[in-house]
Amino acid sequence: MRVRKLTIAAMALAAGLSLTACQNDDDGTDRSAAPPAASTASSSTGGSDQQGGTDSGGKTPNGTGGTGGTDEDGKAAKCRTDELEITATDATIGGDDRGTVAVDLKNGGGRDCSLAGYAGVDLKTNSGTLSAERTGEPAPSVVLADGDTVTFGITYPINDSGGSGVRVTGLVVTPPDETKSVTLDWPGGATLPVTDGSGTPVQVGPLGSAGQGG
């Protein structure tokens, strides 16, 4: 009887150890499934960081595009005397009581340039320099493309007094806002009447004018 009881006890102990071993195997299997899930989440986070860097890199060059160049291209620089081809011709119409000289300013600078206001006009005479008076008309701003021309007029009294008058020896033209002048031959009447200052003055019209009084 003692031997039988020991055998039954040994069998019961073996069964208990087997059950414990099975439970430990199940817990190990559940824990081994967790690492792949954590690895997947880590990869997703890395992908988001790379996408953000691409977006910011794409916006930087576009944000510093050519706005400065556009503003500069929209402005026409002032015409310089050396860029202008200046000529003068007699534009007097027969029967007029005043003479007229038309002065052309042609842009030969190879680029667009701007002019505004009145040109300076002086007549060189045998009695000294005579400065033309402005007519006082509005003086527009003009943009000249390369090769374009703008004209203004000079009017002066005709010498019909029968006297020798004041002999004109040259025409000096200074473009608007410039200090450098160009001296030309005077194409108008050879002399001006001698006056006491009360006569009709020599006058210069604004840019874009070419005729009596501008």
Side-chain angles (χ1 to χ4, degrees):
M1 291 294 293
R2 181 177 179 83
V3 174
R4 184 179 180 185
K5 288 180 180 181
L6 288 175
T7 301
I8 293 173
M11 292 175 62
L13 177 60
L17 292 174
S18 177
L19 179 61
T20 301
C22 290
Q23 289 176 348
N24 290 338
D25 290 344
D26 291 342
D27 292 342
T29 302
D30 292 339
R31 285 194 298 269
S32 64
S39 176
T40 302
S42 176
S43 299
S44 175
T45 302
S48 297
D49 290 343
Q50 292 174 1
Q51 184 176 3
T54 301
D55 289 343
S56 62
K59 291 177 182 178
T60 299
N62 293 336
T64 57
T67 55
T70 302
D71 291 342
E72 293 175 359
D73 293 341
K75 296 180 180 179
K78 181 176 66 174
C79 297
R80 299 294 183 181
T81 301
D82 291 339
E83 296 177 309
L84 298 172
E85 300 172 16
I86 304 176
T87 56
T89 57
D90 184 11
T92 303
I93 298 176
D96 287 349
D97 60 354
R98 304 196 73 202
T100 301
V101 168
V103 179
D104 292 338
L105 305 178
K106 182 179 179 180
N107 179 12
R111 62 180 179 87
D112 291 358
C113 65
S114 63
L115 291 167
Y118 284 77
V121 171
D122 297 299
L123 301 187
K124 298 173 68 175
T125 77
N126 61 343
S127 298
T129 300
L130 175 63
S131 295
E133 298 180 3
R134 296 178 178 181
T135 61
E137 297 175 90
S141 177
V142 179
V143 176
L144 293 179
D146 183 42
D148 282 357
T149 300
V150 64
T151 304
F152 67 87
I154 302 170
T155 59
Y156 61 94
I158 295 175
N159 183 18
D160 54 7
S161 64
S164 59
V166 177
R167 184 166 55 89
V168 182
T169 60
L171 169 63
V172 181
V173 176
T174 308
D177 297 323
E178 281 288 277
T179 57
K180 186 175 182 179
S181 303
V182 173
T183 300
L184 307 170
D185 292 334
W186 172 249
T191 62
L192 301 175
V194 177
T195 69
D196 58 4
S198 60
T200 304
V202 177
Q203 290 185 306
V204 55
L207 296 175
S209 68
Q212 294 173 324

